[in-house]
Structures are given as structure tokens and as C-alpha cells.
Amino acid sequence: MNYELICTKVISIARLAGNFIRREAMLFDASRIEYKGLNDMVSYVDKTAEQKLVANLSKLLPDAGFITEENTVSISGKTYTWIIDPLDGTTNFIHGIPTYAVSIALYEEDKPVVGVVYEINRGEMFYAYKGGAAYLNKKEIAVSKRDTLGSSLLATGFPYYQFDKQPQYMNLFAQMMRECHGLRRIGSAATDLIYVACGRFEAFFEYNLQQWDFAAGAFIVQQAGGEVCNFSGGNDYFNTREILATNGLVTKEILKAIETHFK
């Protein structure tokens, strides 16, 4: 398979979905919000964007399966699987906060081979493919070279359900606030990850994420020279749903802090 060619076509598909979301943002009707669970919202924009993505990606690889946030399709693939979040940062979108993204990953067997994240309001297209580097709007990107926690700007996310680990997490927040340069909560995991990939953040950590939240962004971080692991330092972040993505230079310091609070 020509991964670069596939990636180029996925970029166009992501941009089409992003353009639709941008147009809808100007006309958004908040009365059409639905709740999937506690603090877990979805809108007609998410669902329609996902349908558009599925239709176009199906034409690109007819035999591929899908893992999608809004469950608008149920298709299993033997070799290839698309993992997509049509609107990562739905809460931001609903409240008019301009940070949300389209996230698309292609997995071959159990390995990522293409990742595309389109940060809609900044018009920033981040992407990577197997055998290549990581890019932002055709320019190659790399993780930052800051090598201490004290000089690092970190990103995280706050739990909005399953609060059983909240006390440990708040203690970790407190430690990070004392020891790092700053801590940010943007509200879009896909955006947090691509910001690690291009050196805006030195690291991002969060738990209780879903596969579509990080599948594309984590791959882009890795192709940009960064590291991705779970809270134990292992590679199985995909199933444990806890993720630490770093520039590779501050991993040990952050894992040590995480271990202190998540034993």
C-alpha cells in the first residue's frame, strides 16, 4: 500500500468534514444537543460529519472496517480499520470555544499507518504516515528539545465521568503545577497530542480516553520523534485507555510523578 498517497487523500476528506463543521458552527442550534451519558454530549453536527467521513473513507478502502465515536456505522475489516472522531472537542464546539478537531487514523492489523488531525479553526492540518515524518501544512514537524519538567508546558484533561480516580488525579495536578512551567486543559485530546508533536507542549497525559480520541494524534507524536506509553510506561495505552505522550526527554520525570499517585 502507498501510505503517503492514502494520507494525501485522507487529508482532503478531513478538510471537507472540517469545512462542514466550520459552517455549522455559525448556525449551531443548541436545542439539538443529545446526551450519551453524564457530561457526554453529541450533536447533529458530530453525527453528520461522521457520516460524511465514513462515506468518503469507504470509497478509499472499501474493505476496511470502522471504529467510530458516534456509532453511525458498524463494519469490521480483516486487515484495515479506520478509527475516527468526527468532532473531538464537542463540548468546546457547543459552547462556542474555538478548539476542536477532526481525527482520522488508519490501522493495518494492530498498527497505525496513517494519522490525520485537522484543527479546524486554526486551519492546521497535522498528518503522518508509515515510513514518513510528521507534518503540519506540508512542513515537517518535530517534538521539542526541552529536557526538564521545570521548563515544560504540559497538557491534560479532566475526568468528566468515572470519578473514582479523581482524588489521585487532583494530587497529580497539584504536583505538576508546582513542578512544571505550566499546565493546560484545552478540551480536545487530539489537539493536545498534535501540539506535543509540533513542540508546543512537552507532554500530555489523561486517562479514560477512548481509542478515537488518541489513535491519530498518538501516531503523529511518534512519527515526530516523541514517545507514547500508558501510566506504567508500557506500550498498551490503546487498551488501558490511559496515555502519556511526551517529547521523549521528560518521560521519566512525569512517569515518576504519575507512579507516586497511581500505584
Side-chain angles (χ1 to χ4, degrees):
M1 173 178 285
N2 187 328
Y3 301 113
E4 182 178 4
L5 178 60
I6 291 292
C7 186
T8 299
K9 293 181 178 180
V10 174
I11 288 168
S12 297
I13 292 170
R15 183 169 282 113
L16 286 173
N19 290 343
F20 163 74
I21 293 168
R22 187 184 297 109
R23 290 193 302 270
E24 290 300 314
M26 295 184 288
L27 307 168
F28 183 68
D29 181 0
S31 68
R32 296 171 68 182
I33 297 169
E34 301 174 28
Y35 283 84
K36 296 183 288 184
L38 178 65
N39 298 324
D40 191 5
M41 295 177 285
V42 65
S43 73
Y44 66 92
V45 179
D46 301 67
K47 292 181 178 180
T48 304
E50 183 169 292
Q51 290 166 348
K52 291 177 180 292
L53 289 171
V54 169
N56 286 314
L57 293 171
S58 295
K59 295 175 185 176
L60 188 55
L61 289 176
D63 296 329
F66 285 88
I67 297 174
T68 67
E69 179 173 12
E70 307 309 337
N71 295 314
T72 61
V73 65
S74 179
I75 302 173
S76 297
K78 292 182 178 180
T79 303
Y80 296 103
T81 301
W82 297 106
I83 304 177
I84 62 176
D85 190 338
L87 179 49
D88 187 66
T90 296
T91 302
N92 284 349
F93 175 84
I94 288 171
H95 288 273
I97 299 170
T99 304
Y100 38 86
V102 177
S103 177
I104 306 170
L106 177 64
Y107 269 58
E108 184 176 13
E109 304 294 351
D110 61 346
K111 301 293 183 183
V113 293
V114 170
V116 174
V117 176
Y118 183 37
E119 208 294 308
I120 296 167
N121 289 286
R122 289 177 61 93
E124 293 187 327
M125 187 71 72
F126 293 81
Y127 55 95
Y129 51 87
K130 183 179 178 180
Y135 300 88
L136 162 56
N137 294 345
K138 300 183 179 180
K139 181 179 179 181
E140 187 172 337
I141 57 173
V143 295
S144 84
K145 299 185 184 303
R146 294 187 178 90
D147 59 0
T148 64
L149 186 57
S151 64
S152 296
L153 183 62
L154 308 185
T156 189
F158 302 150
Y160 59 91
Y161 70 104
Q162 293 186 358
F163 297 109
D164 54 309
K165 296 180 181 179
Q166 188 178 29
Q168 300 99 301
Y169 217 52
M170 295 308 295
N171 290 334
L172 178 60
F173 288 156
Q175 181 178 347
M176 290 294 97
M177 284 188 286
R178 290 192 301 268
E179 297 184 4
C180 74
H181 195 203
L183 193 60
R184 299 289 181 266
R185 202 280 194 181
I186 287 181
S188 164
T191 302
D192 290 322
L193 286 161
I194 55 177
Y195 284 6
V196 173
C198 70
R200 295 172 186 170
F201 293 138
E202 277 60 60
F204 162 70
F205 62 94
E206 190 171 351
Y207 77 94
N208 274 348
L209 289 175
Q210 300 289 349
Q211 296 167 344
W212 47 77
D213 295 317
F214 58 75
F219 177 60
I220 296 171
V221 169
Q222 291 168 327
Q223 296 302 100
E227 292 181 347
V228 183
C229 61
N230 60 27
F231 283 5
S232 300
N235 294 324
D236 189 22
Y237 57 88
F238 201 85
N239 293 310
T240 60
R241 293 173 54 204
E242 52 187 36
I243 188 168
L244 169 64
T246 80
N247 63 358
L249 301 175
V250 297
T251 307
K252 290 182 179 179
E253 280 190 89
I254 298 175
L255 280 176
K256 183 178 179 180
I258 289 173
E259 183 182 2
T260 301
H261 304 287
F262 284 82
K263 293 182 180 179

